[in-house]
Amino acid sequence: MTPVQESSSSRWIDISVPLRTGLVHWPGDPEPTFERISEIEHGAEVNVTFCKMTAHTGTHMDAPCHFIAGAACIDTFPLEAGIGPARVVTVPSDCKAVGRRELQAAGVERGDRILLKTRNSEAQWHTQDFKTDFVGVNASGAQYLAEREARMIGVDYLSVGLFEGDGAETHRTLMSAGIWIVEGLDLSKIEDGEYDLVCLPLRIAGSDGSPARAALRARGNRATNA
């Protein structure tokens, strides 16, 4: 019997970054550390790794309570919000902030999951030191997403909002509108287009966020550059 060959367009592509000691992190947060505290090669029966990091390390999701007191925590995340169709939209490399104009051009519809690929991806952000001039969504862009009733917004840096200016407003606008946020994606090998998305956070009780694993599978005949 001839084995079925999987086409490139049906492969799942991991768009989460590897967690490792020293990974770039938000200024003021403790440096992520992953340490083997039990090792078979040193006589232990099992290998055990101790993980020290914030809930907003690497590829992660924000819960509404991250910016809104008394709002929902990450353990309330509805699984269906992170599983389903998604669209990757490339932003011009000279764009410093994604606003209403850029998102209008993308044609956001109700229930859309939009993943923004910016010059952050070109720079392989997760291998670099922290950059304060990363591209994010400004308050006008967040308001447009809220008006269009998007389901999820994903970005290729550690924050959906800008480092300086209206970053907090961007978060609050999105969260108040029920839009889930995934940050720290690696879209460097992903083309524009329609995909199936799986993006799920850990179920950490009462947490304002969680690391997440995210993967895309091209829909139709569109493939990635991987």
Side-chain angles (χ1 to χ4, degrees), residues 120-152:
N120 301 328
S121 289
E122 298 172 12
Q124 291 285 311
W125 66 267
H126 56 94
T127 66
Q128 308 291 323
D129 293 334
F130 187 86
K131 307 294 184 185
T132 60
D133 62 346
F134 64 84
V135 181
V137 178
N138 65 23
S140 73
Q143 184 59 45
Y144 180 74
L145 290 169
E147 292 168 5
R148 303 302 293 171
E149 300 182 23
R151 190 72 181 275
M152 174 183 286

Side-chain angles (χ1 to χ4, degrees), residues 67 137-140 142-143 161 165-175:
F67 274 85
V137 178
N138 65 23
S140 73
Q143 184 59 45
D166 55 14
E169 182 181 351
T170 289
H171 279 88
R172 293 190 183 98
T173 297
L174 295 170
M175 291 168 171

Side-chain angles (χ1 to χ4, degrees), residues 85-87 89 102-115 141 144-153 177 179 194:
R87 187 152 53 94
V89 175
E102 288 78 16
L103 291 168
Q104 283 178 329
V108 180
E109 301 291 343
R110 185 178 186 274
D112 274 356
R113 301 174 182 87
I114 301 294
L115 309 182
Y144 180 74
L145 290 169
E147 292 168 5
R148 303 302 293 171
E149 300 182 23
R151 190 72 181 275
M152 174 183 286
I153 181 67
I179 301 172
E194 305 285 339

